[in-house]
mmCIF file of all heavy atoms in Angstrom:
data_model
loop_
_atom_site.group_PDB
_atom_site.id
_atom_site.type_symbol
_atom_site.label_atom_id
_atom_site.label_comp_id
_atom_site.label_asym_id
_atom_site.label_seq_id
_atom_site.Cartn_x
_atom_site.Cartn_y
_atom_site.Cartn_z
ATOM 1 N N GLU A 88 0.804 -1.216 -0.008
ATOM 2 C CA GLU A 88 0.013 0.010 0.006
ATOM 3 C C GLU A 88 0.827 1.266 0.021
ATOM 4 O O GLU A 88 0.377 2.377 -0.466
ATOM 5 C CB GLU A 88 -0.916 -0.005 1.149
ATOM 6 C CG GLU A 88 -1.954 -1.157 1.240
ATOM 7 C CD GLU A 88 -2.815 -1.142 -0.024
ATOM 8 O OE1 GLU A 88 -3.286 -0.045 -0.453
ATOM 9 O OE2 GLU A 88 -2.989 -2.230 -0.602
ATOM 10 N N ALA A 89 2.001 1.235 0.545
ATOM 11 C CA ALA A 89 2.899 2.399 0.575
ATOM 12 C C ALA A 89 3.374 2.808 -0.774
ATOM 13 O O ALA A 89 3.550 1.923 -1.632
ATOM 14 C CB ALA A 89 4.046 2.128 1.581
ATOM 15 N N ARG A 90 3.711 4.100 -0.941
ATOM 16 C CA ARG A 90 4.267 4.591 -2.177
ATOM 17 C C ARG A 90 5.829 4.532 -2.024
ATOM 18 O O ARG A 90 6.348 4.975 -1.035
ATOM 19 C CB ARG A 90 3.822 6.032 -2.410
ATOM 20 C CG ARG A 90 2.354 6.133 -2.724
ATOM 21 C CD ARG A 90 1.964 7.606 -2.720
ATOM 22 N NE ARG A 90 0.551 7.809 -3.155
ATOM 23 C CZ ARG A 90 -0.050 8.934 -3.123
ATOM 24 N NH1 ARG A 90 0.534 10.045 -2.610
ATOM 25 N NH2 ARG A 90 -1.317 9.083 -3.568
ATOM 26 N N VAL A 91 6.442 4.021 -3.082
ATOM 27 C CA VAL A 91 7.943 3.941 -3.165
ATOM 28 C C VAL A 91 8.394 4.640 -4.392
ATOM 29 O O VAL A 91 8.003 4.326 -5.510
ATOM 30 C CB VAL A 91 8.409 2.467 -3.176
ATOM 31 C CG1 VAL A 91 9.978 2.419 -3.242
ATOM 32 C CG2 VAL A 91 7.965 1.743 -1.918
ATOM 33 N N MET A 92 9.212 5.644 -4.173
ATOM 34 C CA MET A 92 9.824 6.383 -5.338
ATOM 35 C C MET A 92 11.290 5.973 -5.479
ATOM 36 O O MET A 92 11.936 5.672 -4.471
ATOM 37 C CB MET A 92 9.766 7.901 -5.050
ATOM 38 C CG MET A 92 8.327 8.464 -5.204
ATOM 39 S SD MET A 92 7.274 7.949 -3.846
ATOM 40 C CE MET A 92 7.909 9.023 -2.481
ATOM 41 N N LEU A 93 11.760 5.938 -6.709
ATOM 42 C CA LEU A 93 13.119 5.565 -7.015
ATOM 43 C C LEU A 93 13.829 6.747 -7.707
ATOM 44 O O LEU A 93 13.264 7.278 -8.746
ATOM 45 C CB LEU A 93 13.151 4.348 -7.961
ATOM 46 C CG LEU A 93 12.439 3.100 -7.380
ATOM 47 C CD1 LEU A 93 12.455 1.982 -8.459
ATOM 48 C CD2 LEU A 93 12.959 2.659 -6.078
ATOM 49 N N ASP A 94 14.910 7.158 -7.221
ATOM 50 C CA ASP A 94 15.646 8.386 -7.682
ATOM 51 C C ASP A 94 16.989 8.040 -8.191
ATOM 52 O O ASP A 94 17.886 7.619 -7.508
ATOM 53 C CB ASP A 94 15.720 9.413 -6.555
ATOM 54 C CG ASP A 94 16.324 10.726 -6.977
ATOM 55 O OD1 ASP A 94 16.586 10.901 -8.170
ATOM 56 O OD2 ASP A 94 16.410 11.606 -6.114
ATOM 57 N N CYS A 95 17.228 8.199 -9.562
ATOM 58 C CA CYS A 95 18.465 7.849 -10.207
ATOM 59 C C CYS A 95 19.496 8.995 -10.175
ATOM 60 O O CYS A 95 20.690 8.735 -10.473
ATOM 61 C CB CYS A 95 18.160 7.414 -11.659
ATOM 62 S SG CYS A 95 19.558 6.796 -12.490
ATOM 63 N N ASN A 96 19.023 10.230 -9.952
ATOM 64 C CA ASN A 96 19.910 11.366 -10.006
ATOM 65 C C ASN A 96 20.718 11.524 -11.271
ATOM 66 O O ASN A 96 21.947 11.777 -11.239
ATOM 67 C CB ASN A 96 20.845 11.376 -8.763
ATOM 68 C CG ASN A 96 20.046 11.709 -7.448
ATOM 69 O OD1 ASN A 96 19.700 10.824 -6.757
ATOM 70 N ND2 ASN A 96 19.788 12.971 -7.218
ATOM 71 N N GLN A 97 20.063 11.226 -12.427
ATOM 72 C CA GLN A 97 20.624 11.446 -13.753
ATOM 73 C C GLN A 97 21.654 10.476 -14.218
ATOM 74 O O GLN A 97 22.293 10.627 -15.241
ATOM 75 C CB GLN A 97 21.197 12.859 -13.843
ATOM 76 C CG GLN A 97 20.409 13.954 -13.242
ATOM 77 C CD GLN A 97 21.264 15.077 -12.823
ATOM 78 O OE1 GLN A 97 22.111 15.560 -13.582
ATOM 79 N NE2 GLN A 97 21.060 15.551 -11.601
ATOM 80 N N GLN A 98 21.845 9.330 -13.493
ATOM 81 C CA GLN A 98 22.981 8.505 -13.773
ATOM 82 C C GLN A 98 22.878 7.629 -15.061
ATOM 83 O O GLN A 98 23.855 7.409 -15.737
ATOM 84 C CB GLN A 98 23.168 7.528 -12.518
ATOM 85 C CG GLN A 98 24.327 6.562 -12.649
ATOM 86 C CD GLN A 98 25.639 7.222 -12.677
ATOM 87 O OE1 GLN A 98 26.175 7.583 -13.662
ATOM 88 N NE2 GLN A 98 26.205 7.481 -11.437
ATOM 89 N N TRP A 99 21.656 7.182 -15.377
ATOM 90 C CA TRP A 99 21.528 6.306 -16.513
ATOM 91 C C TRP A 99 21.483 7.008 -17.923
ATOM 92 O O TRP A 99 21.106 8.170 -17.959
ATOM 93 C CB TRP A 99 20.200 5.524 -16.401
ATOM 94 C CG TRP A 99 20.134 4.604 -15.263
ATOM 95 C CD1 TRP A 99 21.096 3.911 -14.643
ATOM 96 C CD2 TRP A 99 18.902 4.354 -14.501
ATOM 97 N NE1 TRP A 99 20.606 3.179 -13.604
ATOM 98 C CE2 TRP A 99 19.226 3.418 -13.438
ATOM 99 C CE3 TRP A 99 17.589 4.686 -14.610
ATOM 100 C CZ2 TRP A 99 18.310 2.923 -12.576
ATOM 101 C CZ3 TRP A 99 16.617 4.205 -13.721
ATOM 102 C CH2 TRP A 99 16.958 3.278 -12.761
ATOM 103 N N THR A 100 21.929 6.308 -18.947
ATOM 104 C CA THR A 100 21.637 6.725 -20.270
ATOM 105 C C THR A 100 20.189 6.316 -20.633
ATOM 106 O O THR A 100 19.534 5.633 -19.867
ATOM 107 C CB THR A 100 22.614 6.053 -21.287
ATOM 108 O OG1 THR A 100 22.360 4.578 -21.219
ATOM 109 C CG2 THR A 100 24.044 6.374 -20.890
ATOM 110 N N LEU A 101 19.705 6.667 -21.827
ATOM 111 C CA LEU A 101 18.398 6.361 -22.214
ATOM 112 C C LEU A 101 18.273 4.836 -22.317
ATOM 113 O O LEU A 101 17.249 4.257 -21.819
ATOM 114 C CB LEU A 101 18.022 7.013 -23.465
ATOM 115 C CG LEU A 101 16.633 6.596 -24.100
ATOM 116 C CD1 LEU A 101 15.557 6.933 -23.163
ATOM 117 C CD2 LEU A 101 16.450 7.344 -25.402
ATOM 118 N N SER A 102 19.215 4.152 -22.923
ATOM 119 C CA SER A 102 19.066 2.670 -23.085
ATOM 120 C C SER A 102 19.145 2.020 -21.694
ATOM 121 O O SER A 102 18.422 1.011 -21.512
ATOM 122 C CB SER A 102 20.203 2.146 -24.017
ATOM 123 O OG SER A 102 21.486 2.437 -23.461
ATOM 124 N N GLN A 103 19.964 2.438 -20.815
ATOM 125 C CA GLN A 103 20.002 1.867 -19.472
ATOM 126 C C GLN A 103 18.636 2.128 -18.767
ATOM 127 O O GLN A 103 18.125 1.205 -18.087
ATOM 128 C CB GLN A 103 21.132 2.533 -18.656
ATOM 129 C CG GLN A 103 22.535 2.034 -19.047
ATOM 130 C CD GLN A 103 23.601 2.858 -18.311
ATOM 131 O OE1 GLN A 103 23.507 4.095 -18.154
ATOM 132 N NE2 GLN A 103 24.612 2.111 -17.891
ATOM 133 N N SER A 104 18.095 3.284 -18.915
ATOM 134 C CA SER A 104 16.862 3.634 -18.325
ATOM 135 C C SER A 104 15.704 2.715 -18.776
ATOM 136 O O SER A 104 14.971 2.153 -18.001
ATOM 137 C CB SER A 104 16.412 5.079 -18.577
ATOM 138 O OG SER A 104 17.350 5.961 -18.152
ATOM 139 N N MET A 105 15.714 2.421 -20.057
ATOM 140 C CA MET A 105 14.722 1.515 -20.670
ATOM 141 C C MET A 105 14.879 0.137 -19.981
ATOM 142 O O MET A 105 13.821 -0.485 -19.590
ATOM 143 C CB MET A 105 14.900 1.395 -22.172
ATOM 144 C CG MET A 105 14.653 2.652 -22.932
ATOM 145 S SD MET A 105 12.873 2.797 -23.270
ATOM 146 C CE MET A 105 12.875 3.873 -24.715
ATOM 147 N N ALA A 106 16.073 -0.374 -19.987
ATOM 148 C CA ALA A 106 16.256 -1.755 -19.463
ATOM 149 C C ALA A 106 15.950 -1.871 -17.990
ATOM 150 O O ALA A 106 15.152 -2.757 -17.547
ATOM 151 C CB ALA A 106 17.695 -2.147 -19.730
ATOM 152 N N VAL A 107 16.406 -0.934 -17.222
ATOM 153 C CA VAL A 107 16.239 -1.084 -15.760
ATOM 154 C C VAL A 107 14.807 -0.771 -15.412
ATOM 155 O O VAL A 107 14.187 -1.478 -14.509
ATOM 156 C CB VAL A 107 17.200 -0.121 -14.934
ATOM 157 C CG1 VAL A 107 16.920 -0.222 -13.438
ATOM 158 C CG2 VAL A 107 18.595 -0.393 -15.341
ATOM 159 N N CYS A 108 14.163 0.214 -15.977
ATOM 160 C CA CYS A 108 12.750 0.507 -15.643
ATOM 161 C C CYS A 108 11.883 -0.666 -15.932
ATOM 162 O O CYS A 108 10.929 -0.919 -15.149
ATOM 163 C CB CYS A 108 12.240 1.759 -16.440
ATOM 164 S SG CYS A 108 12.938 3.304 -15.781
ATOM 165 N N ASN A 109 12.050 -1.398 -16.971
ATOM 166 C CA ASN A 109 11.255 -2.619 -17.273
ATOM 167 C C ASN A 109 11.480 -3.640 -16.208
ATOM 168 O O ASN A 109 10.524 -4.397 -15.882
ATOM 169 C CB ASN A 109 11.610 -3.119 -18.688
ATOM 170 C CG ASN A 109 10.975 -2.319 -19.785
ATOM 171 O OD1 ASN A 109 9.789 -1.889 -19.625
ATOM 172 N ND2 ASN A 109 11.601 -2.102 -20.871
ATOM 173 N N GLU A 110 12.659 -3.751 -15.626
ATOM 174 C CA GLU A 110 12.879 -4.699 -14.599
ATOM 175 C C GLU A 110 12.235 -4.281 -13.257
ATOM 176 O O GLU A 110 11.982 -5.133 -12.435
ATOM 177 C CB GLU A 110 14.451 -4.853 -14.319
ATOM 178 C CG GLU A 110 15.180 -5.553 -15.470
ATOM 179 C CD GLU A 110 14.833 -7.017 -15.590
ATOM 180 O OE1 GLU A 110 14.515 -7.587 -14.563
ATOM 181 O OE2 GLU A 110 15.015 -7.569 -16.684
ATOM 182 N N LEU A 111 11.942 -3.013 -13.141
ATOM 183 C CA LEU A 111 11.382 -2.516 -11.915
ATOM 184 C C LEU A 111 9.866 -2.490 -11.903
ATOM 185 O O LEU A 111 9.264 -2.229 -10.835
ATOM 186 C CB LEU A 111 11.864 -1.080 -11.656
ATOM 187 C CG LEU A 111 13.350 -0.996 -11.426
ATOM 188 C CD1 LEU A 111 13.800 0.524 -11.435
ATOM 189 C CD2 LEU A 111 13.691 -1.492 -9.985
ATOM 190 N N ARG A 112 9.208 -2.816 -12.972
ATOM 191 C CA ARG A 112 7.781 -2.797 -13.041
ATOM 192 C C ARG A 112 7.074 -3.656 -11.881
ATOM 193 O O ARG A 112 6.115 -3.216 -11.343
ATOM 194 C CB ARG A 112 7.309 -3.372 -14.416
ATOM 195 C CG ARG A 112 7.456 -2.424 -15.506
ATOM 196 C CD ARG A 112 6.890 -3.036 -16.805
ATOM 197 N NE ARG A 112 7.162 -2.228 -17.963
ATOM 198 C CZ ARG A 112 6.503 -1.173 -18.361
ATOM 199 N NH1 ARG A 112 5.431 -0.780 -17.634
ATOM 200 N NH2 ARG A 112 6.836 -0.453 -19.455
ATOM 201 N N GLY A 113 7.724 -4.824 -11.592
ATOM 202 C CA GLY A 113 7.125 -5.666 -10.640
ATOM 203 C C GLY A 113 7.028 -5.132 -9.212
ATOM 204 O O GLY A 113 6.174 -5.641 -8.460
ATOM 205 N N MET A 114 7.802 -4.113 -8.861
ATOM 206 C CA MET A 114 7.689 -3.577 -7.507
ATOM 207 C C MET A 114 6.854 -2.321 -7.470
ATOM 208 O O MET A 114 6.696 -1.691 -6.455
ATOM 209 C CB MET A 114 9.089 -3.310 -6.903
ATOM 210 C CG MET A 114 10.111 -2.474 -7.608
ATOM 211 S SD MET A 114 9.797 -0.660 -7.484
ATOM 212 C CE MET A 114 9.767 -0.377 -5.714
ATOM 213 N N ASN A 115 6.302 -1.911 -8.630
ATOM 214 C CA ASN A 115 5.296 -0.912 -8.719
ATOM 215 C C ASN A 115 5.816 0.414 -8.113
ATOM 216 O O ASN A 115 5.236 0.977 -7.148
ATOM 217 C CB ASN A 115 3.987 -1.306 -7.991
ATOM 218 C CG ASN A 115 2.868 -0.345 -8.288
ATOM 219 O OD1 ASN A 115 2.776 0.325 -9.288
ATOM 220 N ND2 ASN A 115 1.925 -0.268 -7.305
ATOM 221 N N PRO A 116 6.821 1.047 -8.678
ATOM 222 C CA PRO A 116 7.317 2.332 -8.173
ATOM 223 C C PRO A 116 6.243 3.411 -8.485
ATOM 224 O O PRO A 116 5.546 3.457 -9.510
ATOM 225 C CB PRO A 116 8.595 2.615 -8.970
ATOM 226 C CG PRO A 116 8.435 1.825 -10.232
ATOM 227 C CD PRO A 116 7.615 0.598 -9.899
ATOM 228 N N TYR A 117 6.119 4.331 -7.514
ATOM 229 C CA TYR A 117 5.196 5.486 -7.724
ATOM 230 C C TYR A 117 5.742 6.443 -8.795
ATOM 231 O O TYR A 117 4.991 7.012 -9.593
ATOM 232 C CB TYR A 117 4.966 6.248 -6.449
ATOM 233 C CG TYR A 117 3.842 7.295 -6.425
ATOM 234 C CD1 TYR A 117 2.549 6.865 -6.689
ATOM 235 C CD2 TYR A 117 4.179 8.594 -6.220
ATOM 236 C CE1 TYR A 117 1.525 7.775 -6.664
ATOM 237 C CE2 TYR A 117 3.077 9.554 -6.224
ATOM 238 C CZ TYR A 117 1.838 9.119 -6.467
ATOM 239 O OH TYR A 117 0.774 10.036 -6.445
ATOM 240 N N TRP A 118 6.975 6.611 -8.814
ATOM 241 C CA TRP A 118 7.714 7.280 -9.949
ATOM 242 C C TRP A 118 9.153 6.893 -10.062
ATOM 243 O O TRP A 118 9.717 6.356 -9.136
ATOM 244 C CB TRP A 118 7.600 8.747 -9.815
ATOM 245 C CG TRP A 118 8.392 9.524 -8.749
ATOM 246 C CD1 TRP A 118 9.758 9.408 -8.517
ATOM 247 C CD2 TRP A 118 7.862 10.548 -7.854
ATOM 248 N NE1 TRP A 118 10.113 10.224 -7.506
ATOM 249 C CE2 TRP A 118 9.024 10.977 -7.046
ATOM 250 C CE3 TRP A 118 6.708 11.074 -7.661
ATOM 251 C CZ2 TRP A 118 8.881 11.890 -6.065
ATOM 252 C CZ3 TRP A 118 6.529 12.026 -6.688
ATOM 253 C CH2 TRP A 118 7.685 12.436 -5.860
ATOM 254 N N ILE A 119 9.736 7.142 -11.179
ATOM 255 C CA ILE A 119 11.159 7.028 -11.444
ATOM 256 C C ILE A 119 11.687 8.494 -11.641
ATOM 257 O O ILE A 119 11.228 9.222 -12.454
ATOM 258 C CB ILE A 119 11.575 6.282 -12.689
ATOM 259 C CG1 ILE A 119 10.847 4.889 -12.687
ATOM 260 C CG2 ILE A 119 13.061 6.127 -12.848
ATOM 261 C CD1 ILE A 119 11.344 3.935 -11.697
ATOM 262 N N GLU A 120 12.590 8.870 -10.679
ATOM 263 C CA GLU A 120 12.995 10.307 -10.681
ATOM 264 C C GLU A 120 14.369 10.506 -11.352
ATOM 265 O O GLU A 120 15.263 9.746 -11.156
ATOM 266 C CB GLU A 120 13.096 10.776 -9.252
ATOM 267 C CG GLU A 120 13.502 12.177 -8.980
ATOM 268 C CD GLU A 120 13.306 12.552 -7.541
ATOM 269 O OE1 GLU A 120 12.599 11.902 -6.805
ATOM 270 O OE2 GLU A 120 13.984 13.557 -7.164
ATOM 271 N N GLU A 121 14.399 11.529 -12.184
ATOM 272 C CA GLU A 121 15.636 11.927 -12.868
ATOM 273 C C GLU A 121 16.442 10.751 -13.415
ATOM 274 O O GLU A 121 17.588 10.525 -13.075
ATOM 275 C CB GLU A 121 16.579 12.696 -11.902
ATOM 276 C CG GLU A 121 16.096 14.094 -11.655
ATOM 277 C CD GLU A 121 17.226 14.954 -11.081
ATOM 278 O OE1 GLU A 121 17.972 14.565 -10.109
ATOM 279 O OE2 GLU A 121 17.478 16.041 -11.581
ATOM 280 N N PRO A 122 15.896 10.035 -14.379
ATOM 281 C CA PRO A 122 16.592 8.856 -14.829
ATOM 282 C C PRO A 122 17.861 9.186 -15.658
ATOM 283 O O PRO A 122 18.813 8.351 -15.756
ATOM 284 C CB PRO A 122 15.513 8.155 -15.710
ATOM 285 C CG PRO A 122 14.591 9.182 -16.111
ATOM 286 C CD PRO A 122 14.522 10.173 -14.936
ATOM 287 N N THR A 123 17.819 10.300 -16.387
ATOM 288 C CA THR A 123 18.912 10.575 -17.332
ATOM 289 C C THR A 123 19.194 12.133 -17.336
ATOM 290 O O THR A 123 18.642 12.806 -16.487
ATOM 291 C CB THR A 123 18.656 10.051 -18.741
ATOM 292 O OG1 THR A 123 19.861 10.121 -19.512
ATOM 293 C CG2 THR A 123 17.563 10.709 -19.465
ATOM 294 N N HIS A 124 19.951 12.593 -18.256
ATOM 295 C CA HIS A 124 20.373 14.032 -18.238
ATOM 296 C C HIS A 124 19.211 15.023 -18.197
ATOM 297 O O HIS A 124 18.314 14.880 -19.068
ATOM 298 C CB HIS A 124 21.305 14.293 -19.454
ATOM 299 C CG HIS A 124 22.081 15.581 -19.307
ATOM 300 N ND1 HIS A 124 21.506 16.798 -19.426
ATOM 301 C CD2 HIS A 124 23.439 15.747 -19.049
ATOM 302 C CE1 HIS A 124 22.392 17.744 -19.180
ATOM 303 N NE2 HIS A 124 23.597 17.109 -18.964
ATOM 304 N N PRO A 125 19.192 15.966 -17.279
ATOM 305 C CA PRO A 125 18.036 16.792 -17.180
ATOM 306 C C PRO A 125 17.722 17.684 -18.379
ATOM 307 O O PRO A 125 16.578 18.162 -18.546
ATOM 308 C CB PRO A 125 18.374 17.638 -15.926
ATOM 309 C CG PRO A 125 19.811 17.645 -15.792
ATOM 310 C CD PRO A 125 20.245 16.229 -16.311
ATOM 311 N N ASP A 126 18.727 17.947 -19.197
ATOM 312 C CA ASP A 126 18.507 18.788 -20.429
ATOM 313 C C ASP A 126 17.914 18.003 -21.576
ATOM 314 O O ASP A 126 17.477 18.630 -22.565
ATOM 315 C CB ASP A 126 19.816 19.482 -20.900
ATOM 316 C CG ASP A 126 20.306 20.508 -19.899
ATOM 317 O OD1 ASP A 126 19.537 20.883 -18.989
ATOM 318 O OD2 ASP A 126 21.404 21.019 -20.071
ATOM 319 N N ASP A 127 17.891 16.753 -21.506
ATOM 320 C CA ASP A 127 17.532 15.854 -22.554
ATOM 321 C C ASP A 127 15.993 15.575 -22.593
ATOM 322 O O ASP A 127 15.521 14.571 -22.108
ATOM 323 C CB ASP A 127 18.304 14.559 -22.583
ATOM 324 C CG ASP A 127 18.212 13.866 -23.884
ATOM 325 O OD1 ASP A 127 17.363 14.164 -24.749
ATOM 326 O OD2 ASP A 127 19.111 12.948 -24.143
ATOM 327 N N VAL A 128 15.219 16.580 -23.021
ATOM 328 C CA VAL A 128 13.766 16.472 -22.975
ATOM 329 C C VAL A 128 13.330 15.282 -23.861
ATOM 330 O O VAL A 128 12.363 14.554 -23.396
ATOM 331 C CB VAL A 128 13.159 17.841 -23.422
ATOM 332 C CG1 VAL A 128 11.627 17.680 -23.455
ATOM 333 C CG2 VAL A 128 13.617 18.940 -22.573
ATOM 334 N N LEU A 129 13.849 15.151 -25.034
ATOM 335 C CA LEU A 129 13.383 14.121 -25.956
ATOM 336 C C LEU A 129 13.659 12.695 -25.410
ATOM 337 O O LEU A 129 12.877 11.770 -25.636
ATOM 338 C CB LEU A 129 13.957 14.342 -27.313
ATOM 339 C CG LEU A 129 13.483 15.539 -28.050
ATOM 340 C CD1 LEU A 129 14.122 15.632 -29.448
ATOM 341 C CD2 LEU A 129 11.970 15.608 -28.155
ATOM 342 N N ALA A 130 14.762 12.533 -24.701
ATOM 343 C CA ALA A 130 15.065 11.200 -24.165
ATOM 344 C C ALA A 130 13.997 10.876 -23.047
ATOM 345 O O ALA A 130 13.522 9.733 -22.974
ATOM 346 C CB ALA A 130 16.423 11.190 -23.459
#
């Protein structure tokens, strides 16, 4: 029932973000925070 947020602090590339986020689906994160570079809107 509790909300769990995961914060990457910009560490991943887009491809890493894709792979790891898919592995994290099963623990139902409320959000994924700052997965990649903050200026990269399109990523």
